[in-house]
Amino acid sequence: MLVVTALATVFVRDLFAVIMLFGIYSLLSAGFFLNLNAPDVSLTEAAIGAGISPILMLGTLALTRKSLAPSAIKSKKKAWLPIIVVTLTGAALIYATLDVPHFGDPSGPAHNHVAPRYIKESYKEIHIPNIVTSVLASYRGFDTLGETFVIFAAALGVLALLGAIKQGDADDYRQFSDTASLRRHNILHVISKILIPIILLFGLYVQFHGDYSPGGGFQAGVIFAVAFILYALIYSLSAAQKIISPLFLQITMVIGVLLYAGTGVASLLNGANYLDYSVLGQDALKGQHNGIILVELGVGITVASVMLSIFYTFAARALHTNETSEAK
Amino acid sequence: MMNLLLDDLPALQVMLPLLCAPLCFILRIKGLPWLIAFVTSILTFAVSFMLFNQVADGDILSYAMGGWAPPWGIEYRVDRLNSFFMLLISGIGVVALLFARKSVDSEIIACKQSIFYSAFMLCLAGLLGILITGDAFNVFVFLEISALSSYVLISFGQDRRALTATFQYLIMGTIGATMILIGLGFMYMMTGTLNMADLATRLPEVMNTNTIRTAFAFIVIGASIKLALFPLHIWLPNAYSYAPSVVTVFLAATSTKVALYVLLRFVFTVFGAEFAFGEMPLQHILMFMAVLAVLTGSLCAVFQTNIKHVLAYSSIGQIGYMVIGVALLTTTGLAAGILHVFNHAIMKACLFLAIGCVYYRHGSARIEDFKGIGKTMPWTMAAFVIGGLGLIGMPLTVGFISKWYLVIAAMEQGAIGAVTISIILIGSLLAVAYVWRIVEVAYFNEPTKEKAKIKEAPLALLIPTWIMALATIYFGIKTDFSVIAATNAATTLMGAK
């Protein structure tokens, strides 16, 4: 099914359908990951691949056109070079897998070097049952810090390119967006009122229960953002922005990254290495616990505010372009 | 307290600019983001200077992030190779930011400057993070930080073509990063580790597998895209040309250099020279591509009408020289390559800074705008000439020094060496052609009437330009610092096998 969806994605011309196919592809691979006993990855894939990225892509679509430009469809010019490059790369990948250890082979090197220590010792050293969280937040916490900054950089990029709407214009959007929203649909109205609190609650659960079950800051942040995006879709952008203003989001995303990086600084000031949480509590285990909760919270805040902020920027732009085209 | 922080220098090297990025973003009082960024860049430079001195006699500093010993945790590892690169990158960062205040004011609207400086600091932190880390996956993470932030930086360009240039760079850069990631995945599959030193000890066992050979190919190609090695250079000219002046200065002098470091680190330290050049035909490929890069890069540079394009193509040629040095596969060759990284960064920064001055006054950098500029902006043009002489390789400039060492390294090689030397000569002649074209227009044409009134660039722009111009001469005469550092770096790399 994955292959079929991928092929369909390549051949379908309607961009709207392509985005839906992307979502389906992600949901399928989420199921696939779950089958491979990787619930954390699966949850991430479901939340990001099937949840938020189609929304953002649809946002892009609202800014541009729904199908490819006619010139792009008509030009049947054979692109030989890309085809050769892609084929060669694919061939190299297949060539490489010839010598890969068999799937699930317990004697494979990946299972016998670093990983056993994570599995055997992490409960003793960090004292939380979810090994994935221990590895992400503590053993390789610095990588996760880097990823959080990558997300921050993405927000910078979107704000740099699409942000900076003049304050005066914002009121016009509000009026426009009020009429364009779906708020007159009573059914959506009622259902969303039931759903949004549950989604928020689930987000909080994923955030704070990440130590014990699959989940953590990344997934929780996305789920949290999705709740607000749903609200914005149904009750209009301006209603959502009344609750959480774009500026507030910019402040919270900074707080998020600073919380993570600051936890590291706190370890420095306590005389340990950067991001060494052992010194952040009465004993090493308590410290690890506190540290992980803090950095996961940092990740969650950053991800939620970046996602929502990107959505706001896209949506405001879309309203703006629609408005100007109608004025013509 | 002070002692505590001294032990943590490796972490501070990256964390200072990284922490400063969100601060720049949120503190939007006029001028403040610049001040924070500038002060931080000076501190960062001081940190890399101290690190450079600490490892100068061949020690290796290892710093365990999160207190977890490698290979379980992430290791920061400072040696003579990366400390030299870090010194260069953070130094360029200081000069670029010094130039930035006036130049950014004129090119980027005030309300977005905080985003600009934030992205700039992220980029600096990302590049330093790639250099300092001893963990292969961590390289990828910081590669993403530096790449994303440099896309943001380039998109700030005033010309609308900056957006298409960014997009092209984004696509190429993402392909490059994905290739590196796939390579890393294969390596983890076969060894179960991500730490570079650990990889180096565990790889030989599984060296003879298709998986590792493919991983090697993917990583080399991925790094070559980032390095803009011919024929993977197409993203570079437009990205450099349409970016804001400061960004061009900073990226031209740093990002391709860091990509070269990634290539060197993986080829020599992780895979080991024996595998890379014995089993795989890397030497011939690199040599061939580098020679083509020198020739086509320099030749294209001759025919451009936008001066930023001229210099961008010349960069592609100059990258060729660096790779030639590496492909000679001797300590002297490698040292010459690394020396050229240092020297080229200085003279390219000088040239792009001078162009930034012209852009500040003229609002464009086409060759027509240079008419008579030798009379209206004498100081700027003098700095440009010094940088240009460096590109040609005139004695008393840094360009001469690195070409001299490259020729010496080539002479040890016999037949290949003879070819190399002739390529270097042809490249230098082409450099004479493209530099002379600009100089001729600048000094021997009369300025048009409206352009004749244009004054010299303000002092705030001239000072950083002349710092680099003087550095071009200083390191061209007093060579012990750079030559010793480059040779040390090369021995570390060859010995690290």
Side-chain angles (χ1 to χ4, degrees), chain B residues 191-449:
Chain B
T191 61
T193 182
L194 288 168
N195 182 279
M196 286 183 187
D198 201 28
L199 273 173
T201 54
R202 289 177 66 88
L203 271 176
E205 274 176 50
V206 288
M207 219 40 133
N208 254 324
T209 53
N210 292 346
T211 314
I212 293 301
R213 278 191 281 266
T214 316
F216 178 74
F218 271 78
I219 286 181
V220 168
I221 295 175
S224 306
I225 292 180
K226 293 271 177 189
L227 171 65
L229 180 62
F230 182 89
L232 303 171
H233 64 271
I234 45 167
W235 59 267
L236 186 139
N238 285 339
Y240 279 13
S241 303
Y242 301 124
S245 308
V246 199
V247 177
T248 316
V249 172
F250 184 66
L251 290 184
T254 56
S255 72
T256 48
K257 276 74 184 168
V258 171
L260 183 74
Y261 167 84
V262 172
L263 188 68
L264 291 178
R265 190 50 102 190
F266 273 101
V267 166
F268 285 91
T269 310
V270 176
F271 287 99
E274 256 168 56
F275 171 75
F277 301 103
E279 291 238 344
M280 309 293 275
L282 187 63
Q283 184 181 15
H284 298 113
I285 297 176
L286 280 186
M287 195 49 125
F288 184 64
M289 291 308 171
V291 165
L292 281 182
V294 171
L295 295 181
T296 50
S298 310
L299 204 60
C300 286
V302 178
F303 296 104
Q304 299 300 320
T305 51
N306 183 326
I307 309 249
K308 277 183 154 187
H309 263 128
V310 173
L311 293 183
Y313 277 105
S314 126
S315 275
I316 294 167
Q318 303 283 331
I319 290 164
Y321 291 126
M322 297 167 208
V323 178
I324 286 181
V326 175
L328 285 174
L329 217 59
T330 55
T331 313
T332 22
L334 210 53
I338 295 170
L339 185 62
H340 195 53
V341 167
F342 180 79
N343 290 343
H344 177 246
I346 290 179
M347 55 201 184
K348 257 300 147 51
C350 167
L351 286 166
F352 275 121
L353 284 168
I355 289 189
C357 293
V358 176
Y359 193 89
Y360 182 81
R361 286 294 186 213
H362 289 254
S364 90
R366 280 164 310 164
I367 205 154
E368 305 97 84
D369 296 314
F370 272 65
K371 274 186 185 160
I373 233 169
K375 294 189 187 81
T376 52
M377 303 174 77
W379 285 96
T380 309
M381 219 35 222
F384 187 91
V385 171
I386 292 174
L389 290 179
L391 278 187
I392 298 169
M394 285 285 275
L396 299 185
T397 64
V398 284
F400 171 72
I401 304 300
S402 39
K403 277 185 187 157
W404 175 251
Y405 279 91
L406 208 52
V407 169
I408 291 180
M411 285 209 284
E412 295 169 358
Q413 295 280 316
I416 307 179
V419 180
T420 318
I421 294 173
S422 54
I423 296 295
I424 296 174
L425 274 179
I426 297 173
S428 306
L429 283 177
L430 287 171
V432 173
Y434 59 74
V435 172
W436 176 250
R437 252 178 86 221
I438 303 167
V439 172
E440 186 188 355
V441 173
Y443 283 97
F444 299 99
N445 280 10
E446 284 303 315
T448 48
K449 257 182 200 156

Side-chain angles (χ1 to χ4, degrees), chain A residues 27-268:
Chain A
L27 206 57
L28 283 175
S29 29
F32 197 57
F33 291 141
L34 198 62
N35 248 339
L36 293 174
N37 275 335
D40 280 273
V41 187
S42 168
L43 191 57
T44 318
E45 181 69 44
I48 293 174
I52 200 146
S53 52
I55 296 181
L56 293 181
M57 283 192 230
L58 286 176
T60 320
L61 210 58
L63 293 178
T64 53
R65 275 169 306 188
K66 281 218 176 57
S67 58
L68 294 177
S71 62
I73 299 177
K74 274 177 197 158
S75 73
K76 283 270 157 88
K77 207 169 56 181
K78 288 275 188 299
W80 284 116
L81 189 66
I83 290 180
I84 293 171
V85 171
V86 169
T87 323
L88 274 181
T89 318
L93 286 175
I94 294 171
Y95 171 77
T97 49
L98 292 180
D99 278 351
V100 162
H102 287 290
F103 172 69
D105 177 6
S107 65
H111 309 295
N112 280 314
H113 185 49
V114 180
R117 160 147 178 202
Y118 292 149
I119 296 169
K120 283 186 203 132
E121 307 289 324
S122 77
Y123 192 71
K124 263 183 255 161
E125 290 175 340
I126 300 175
H127 215 268
I128 58 174
N130 186 358
I131 301 168
V132 178
T133 307
S134 320
V135 174
L136 276 185
S138 190
Y139 288 109
R140 300 191 64 89
F142 194 67
D143 272 346
T144 313
L145 173 69
E147 294 295 352
T148 316
F149 271 93
V150 170
I151 291 169
F152 178 67
L156 283 187
V158 172
L159 288 173
L161 287 173
L162 299 176
I165 310 156
K166 272 175 275 157
Q167 204 54 50
D169 295 346
D171 297 329
D172 299 340
Y173 300 139
R174 294 235 165 89
Q175 277 190 337
F176 179 75
S177 64
D178 281 345
T179 54
S181 72
L182 304 165
R183 66 176 178 153
R184 286 191 214 118
H185 295 250
N186 284 333
I187 301 175
L188 288 176
H189 204 118
V190 172
I191 292 182
S192 70
K193 270 205 170 157
I194 302 169
L195 271 183
I196 289 174
I198 297 178
I199 297 179
L200 288 178
L201 204 62
F202 183 59
L204 287 175
Y205 166 77
V206 171
Q207 169 79 48
F208 291 107
H209 214 254
D211 297 0
Y212 301 97
S213 58
F218 278 99
Q219 298 91 331
V222 174
I223 295 171
F224 223 74
V226 166
F228 281 100
I229 291 175
L230 186 63
Y231 186 80
L233 285 176
I234 290 173
Y235 293 87
S236 87
L237 187 62
S238 62
Q241 288 187 342
K242 258 178 225 152
I243 303 172
I244 296 188
S245 77
L247 185 67
F248 177 76
L249 283 180
Q250 294 178 13
I251 296 172
T252 48
M253 73 173 93
V254 169
I255 291 177
V257 282
L258 285 182
L259 187 61
Y260 200 144
T263 312
V265 176
S267 342
L268 273 190

